């Protein structure tokens, strides 16, 4: 699962990792666009359940999958952890980070919206979402049910990786992901 605020490089990284590993890729904004959404609804149950079904279907077949979204709330991350646990697989959370100034600069360079929900190009969205952000280390590992989850942070601006919470059995996989992040993914602009 790729998480992080807008402009931090999530989508670029998710697409590259999925391509390199042959994983399925889910872009939550793309699903919203396919549903014809023009603005963020009060509830996203239909979208989230569709994503849950896609994730569960892929994991039950032992197919790797990357879910790309801000995932600012712990409860949503916990829902996806639960799907992975139900399928008997380990989960890896990669949080993409960069400075607020860099994220806002990247956002302002995005193309204008076509009227449907798309990646925000208004840097004010970054400020709004950063106020709602629920920190992974402070929240996600304090309750039972995340014992199959590893977590790393990748600063897309400095190319620094921090393995913050790692299951021993995920060491090889996290090292492989680190190699992809540092050596294969192009510079994010």
């Amino acid at each position: 699962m790729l998480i992080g605020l807008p402009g931090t490089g999530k989508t670029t990284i998710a697409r590259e990792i999925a391509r390199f590993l042959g994983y399925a890729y889910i872009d939550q904004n793309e699903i919203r666009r396919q549903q014809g959404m023009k603005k963020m609804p009060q509830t996203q149950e239909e979208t989230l359940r569709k994503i849950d079904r896609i994730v569960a279907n892929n994991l039950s077949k032992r197919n790797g999958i990357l879910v790309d979204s801000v995932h600012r709330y712990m409860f949503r991350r916990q829902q996806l952890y639960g799907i992975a646990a139900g399928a008997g697989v380990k989960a890896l959370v990669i949080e993409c980070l960069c400075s607020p100034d860099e994220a806002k600069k990247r956002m302002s360079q995005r193309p204008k919206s076509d009227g449907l929900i798309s990646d925000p190009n208004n840097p004010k969205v970054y400020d709004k979402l950063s106020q709602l952000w629920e920190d992974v280390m402070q929240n996600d590992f304090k309750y039972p049910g995340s014992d199959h989850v590893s977590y790393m942070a990748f600063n897309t601006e400095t190319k620094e990786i921090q393995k913050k919470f790692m299951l021993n059995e995920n060491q090889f996989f996290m090292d492989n992901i680190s190699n992809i992040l540092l050596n294969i993914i192009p510079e994010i602009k």
Side-chain angles (χ1 to χ4, degrees):
M1 173 180 355
L2 263 311
I3 66 171
L5 293 168
T8 57
K10 290 181 310 297
T11 299
T12 300
I13 288 170
R15 287 181 179 151
E16 286 296 315
I17 291 174
R19 182 186 62 75
F20 190 79
L21 296 177
Y23 282 13
Y25 169 72
I26 297 176
D27 179 340
Q28 192 163 305
N29 276 346
E30 186 57 34
I31 289 176
R32 290 183 188 120
R33 290 174 57 76
Q34 290 168 3
Q35 294 173 339
M37 290 185 188
K38 294 183 184 243
K39 63 180 188 172
M40 206 59 82
Q42 289 294 96
T43 179
Q44 298 187 56
E45 285 305 307
E46 180 182 344
T47 302
L48 298 179
R49 296 305 71 84
K50 180 176 182 171
I51 291 168
D52 291 351
R53 286 188 297 277
I54 295 169
V55 170
N57 184 44
N58 275 277
L59 293 180
S60 69
K61 296 176 183 174
R62 296 295 190 248
N63 295 332
I65 187 163
L66 272 164
V67 182
D68 170 14
S69 184
V70 172
H71 296 298
R72 65 185 168 269
Y73 296 121
M74 176 199 61
F75 81 87
R76 179 60 185 149
R77 296 187 299 256
Q78 291 287 340
Q79 288 174 330
L80 292 169
Y81 302 161
I83 294 169
V89 299
K90 307 288 185 227
L92 173 61
V93 176
I94 304 170
E95 181 177 358
C96 295
L97 309 163
C98 67
S99 69
D101 288 340
E102 180 65 21
K104 291 174 185 181
K105 181 180 104 182
R106 292 172 183 171
M107 291 173 70
S108 67
Q109 295 170 350
R110 290 177 175 167
K112 298 290 181 206
S113 173
D114 61 2
L116 297 175
I117 284 184
S118 61
D119 289 326
N121 54 19
N122 181 348
K124 290 179 183 178
V125 173
Y126 180 96
D127 294 327
K128 179 182 177 184
L129 293 177
S130 69
Q131 292 173 4
L132 300 171
W133 185 261
E134 294 179 355
D135 184 82
V136 174
M137 287 304 295
Q138 290 179 3
N139 295 291
D140 293 29
F141 298 105
K142 65 182 179 182
Y143 301 108
S146 58
D147 57 343
H148 62 287
V149 179
S150 294
Y151 167 57
M152 64 194 300
F154 178 56
N155 187 315
T156 60
E157 188 175 8
T158 63
K159 298 279 256 181
E160 293 175 293
I161 295 173
Q162 294 179 328
K163 295 176 183 173
K164 297 191 172 200
F165 187 82
M166 181 173 51
L167 302 171
N168 287 336
E169 56 268 29
N170 271 5
Q171 174 74 45
F172 178 77
F173 184 65
M174 288 180 80
D175 288 346
N176 192 23
I177 294 295
S178 296
N179 181 52
I180 293 168
L181 292 171
L182 294 174
N183 300 311
I184 296 172
I185 295 179
E187 289 296 314
I188 298 170
K189 296 178 177 155

